Structures are given as structure tokens and as C-alpha cells.
Amino acid sequence: MGSWKRRPCVGALLACAAIAVSCCLQGAYAVAAPSFGDNFEITGAEDHVKTSADGQTWYLSLDNKTGVGFQTKQKYLFGWFSMKLKLVGNDSAGVVTAYYMCSDLDAAPERDELDFEFLGNRTGEPYIIQTNVYQGGVGGREMRHSLWFDPTAEFHTYSILWNPKQILFFVDKVPIREYRNSDKPNNKFFPIAKPMYVFSSIWNADDWATRGGLEKTDWTKGPFVSSYSDFTADACAWGAAAGAATPACAAKTGDSWWDQPPAWALDDGQRQDSGWVARNLVIYDYCDDRKRFPTVPEECALRTTAS
């Protein structure tokens, strides 16, 4: 299949998500859609954030003084998390746009974390998308992919499905990474116990992000701007107040679509898509790195798709 004109299969899992979101949007003529400010608060220099007139799109900028970010006002345990992003265009070497979930408001040593990181490049060179999973402060589970489109030309959708059975990273409804839990209780690789906030940020990482740090940020090309819209969290929300009681949805009740059997594994169409991604778009996979991991990490054997 051609990597540029391919029409991805979309299975029952995403259909359920679309139905759930559609139901939430019924009556939208009576109630305005939440703005970014309803869901998020700015972290860092507020003058580096601009908002569209309708409040539905945020623009984050990075210059040689500082970057900026935002975080959700509440945290979540399991669910579907989705955001549209348009990445920094032109020469973006050294610039990283991060869209991630984390159990702590800082880089706490015992944090759980799910990462999308978009690594900028020189003009004309493609972006690289890096994903990672932390459990108990231990990460190092990087995968890197190329993309089948220009992520700077228009908005594209990046999503995470997280439930007790699996974590899936999606790009425009295509599952690019499958990360499964095991039946073994209390394993050391799958984040399952800590609710997480949703974050995004833009920052300078020219010490490592582009060609291992060989390409430095050209500040004459700044400011560098990333754009965000259409955040969706169809998920189990924790109360914003400290010490809030554990919500009923945190239990494995099966009441939500993301905690039912169709969301526990890839369907046939998604498995086909995932296999195509593995054959065509993977740049680096820690599971294949015998220098770093002479013994294959336990979670790598749980994947249901292969190249």
C-alpha cells in the first residue's frame, strides 16, 4: 500500500468514541462548546499564548527567552484523550512540541507518564514523532515514527486511549503504537494506579532533539508557534480539589465504552493499520535495541501486531 494515499481502516473502537462524542455534542446550539480556557490553565509566560476570537484555538510560542505550556485543571484515570495540533513550520530544528499525560505537576521521580513528542527539523526535512511510557518514574520506552503527511500544513488529530488492558497512541485514528498490560499483577511497566493531568508545551531541546543535538535552534527563525484545538477527554475525571474522593468511574465497572471489551484490544482493521505503520514508518523501537536492552523488555512480547 502506498504510504501517502492510503486510506486507513477504522474499527469499532473509534466508532464507539465517535458516538460518545456525538452524544456529548447534542444540544450544542443551546450550550456553547467549552473553550480551551474552560479545560486548561497556562503554565509559564502567559504573554506567549494567544487565543482565537472564539476561544477554541490556542497558539503557543517559543523564543530565545522562554517557552510556555498548559495543563488540564483536573486529572483523569483511564479514557480517551484527543487534541488537534498544527506544528511549527519551516525551520524547526531543536524545537520540541510536547503533548502528554503525567501524574504529577512536575517531573516527580515516581511519576507515571504517556508522551507524544514532536521533534522539529531543518526546513524540508520531515518531523519525527516520539512516544514514551513511564511507570513509577521509569521511562526509556521510546518509539520514533515518521508521518505520512506534513504536520505543519494543517491540523491533525493525536489521541491516546488508556484503560486497564492497553494504551494506544493514535494519529488521525491510525494506531501507531500498541502498549499492552499483562495478566501479571503489579508489574513494573504499565501505569494503572495514578490519575494523570493532560499537558502540552513548546520548548527548546537542541541538546538532543534534532540529529542527537547536532542541529541547533536558529533563533532568527523565531518565534516558533504551535497551534491547538478541539480537545476531547471522554474519561474518568478526578476532582480538581486536593483530596477529592475517588470517583466511581475509576473502578472497573464497564459502564464506559473505553472500559468494555471492544476497547481492550485492536480490532482487525486497526491491527492491519498498525502492521502497516510498523512496516513503513518506524524509525526506532526500543524493543529492538539490544545495545540498551540485551534482554527484551517484558512488555514487548505482549504486542499483537508486528512488521
Side-chain angles (χ1 to χ4, degrees):
M1 293 185 180
S3 62
W4 293 99
K5 297 184 179 179
R6 182 172 180 278
R7 183 177 181 180
C9 301
V10 181
L13 174 62
L14 270 297
C16 291
I19 291 170
V21 172
S22 176
C23 290
C24 292
L25 293 179
Q26 290 179 2
Y29 289 104
V31 180
S35 70
F36 254 66
D38 293 328
N39 288 308
F40 294 97
E41 54 190 17
I42 298 169
T43 57
E46 294 191 9
D47 62 350
H48 282 54
V49 179
K50 294 185 178 180
T51 306
S52 62
D54 61 3
Q56 300 302 312
T57 305
W58 275 14
Y59 307 93
L60 272 60
S61 66
L62 166 71
D63 57 26
N64 60 356
K65 295 180 181 178
T66 186
V68 71
F70 57 77
Q71 67 187 50
T72 48
K73 295 178 180 179
Q74 59 186 6
K75 50 189 176 180
Y76 306 88
L77 185 69
F78 309 133
W80 171 262
F81 308 90
S82 186
M83 183 99 72
K84 288 185 177 179
L85 282 78
K86 184 167 71 172
L87 303 181
V88 175
N90 300 317
D91 191 330
S92 58
V95 177
V96 171
T97 299
Y99 162 47
Y100 62 105
M101 302 181 66
C102 187
S103 59
D104 297 277
L105 296 177
D106 55 18
E110 296 297 321
R111 70 191 185 280
D112 289 353
E113 188 171 313
L114 310 175
D115 293 342
F116 274 111
E117 291 181 310
F118 305 93
L119 313 184
N121 220 325
R122 288 293 176 218
T123 301
E125 296 297 320
Y127 258 82
I128 292 173
I129 181 171
Q130 176 170 287
T131 56
N132 203 350
V133 176
Y134 282 76
Q135 196 275 337
V138 178
R141 302 178 176 100
E142 300 94 347
M143 289 190 70
R144 290 187 174 188
H145 295 79
S146 58
L147 294 167
W148 58 96
F149 54 82
D150 179 358
T152 73
E154 58 186 16
F155 283 92
H156 290 269
T157 304
Y158 304 89
S159 310
I160 297 172
L161 172 70
W162 174 35
N163 62 40
K165 301 289 186 178
Q166 66 175 353
I167 297 163
L168 297 177
F169 293 85
F170 289 88
V171 176
D172 285 346
K173 298 183 180 179
V174 176
I176 66 165
R177 181 172 184 178
E178 174 193 32
Y179 192 88
R180 296 194 58 78
N181 200 359
S182 70
D183 295 330
K184 177 182 175 182
N186 303 317
N187 64 59
K188 299 298 183 182
F189 61 82
F190 195 93
I192 196 171
K194 299 176 183 178
M196 300 192 204
Y197 298 92
V198 180
F199 296 83
S200 193
S201 60
I202 184 170
W203 51 292
N204 178 39
D206 65 4
D207 58 333
W208 66 270
T210 307
R211 293 185 61 213
L214 295 177
E215 302 284 354
K216 301 301 182 181
T217 304
D218 183 352
W219 294 111
T220 66
K221 300 297 196 303
F224 304 98
V225 179
S226 55
S227 308
Y228 305 80
S229 68
D230 294 352
F231 172 69
T232 298
D234 185 358
C236 181
W238 227 263
T246 302
C249 57
K252 299 177 184 179
T253 61
D255 293 337
S256 302
W257 69 266
W258 37 262
D259 192 23
Q260 296 176 10
W264 291 351
L266 294 169
D267 65 25
D268 291 341
Q270 292 165 345
R271 192 171 292 109
Q272 178 183 348
D273 282 346
S274 183
W276 176 83
V277 168
R279 292 190 299 274
N280 294 281
L281 302 179
V282 174
I283 297 171
Y284 173 80
D285 185 347
Y286 79 106
C287 288
D288 297 330
D289 191 338
R290 294 285 76 80
K291 184 176 181 179
R292 289 180 62 200
F293 302 99
T295 300
V296 178
E298 179 183 358
E299 66 272 15
C300 297
L302 301 174
R303 295 178 182 174
T304 63
T305 58
S307 59

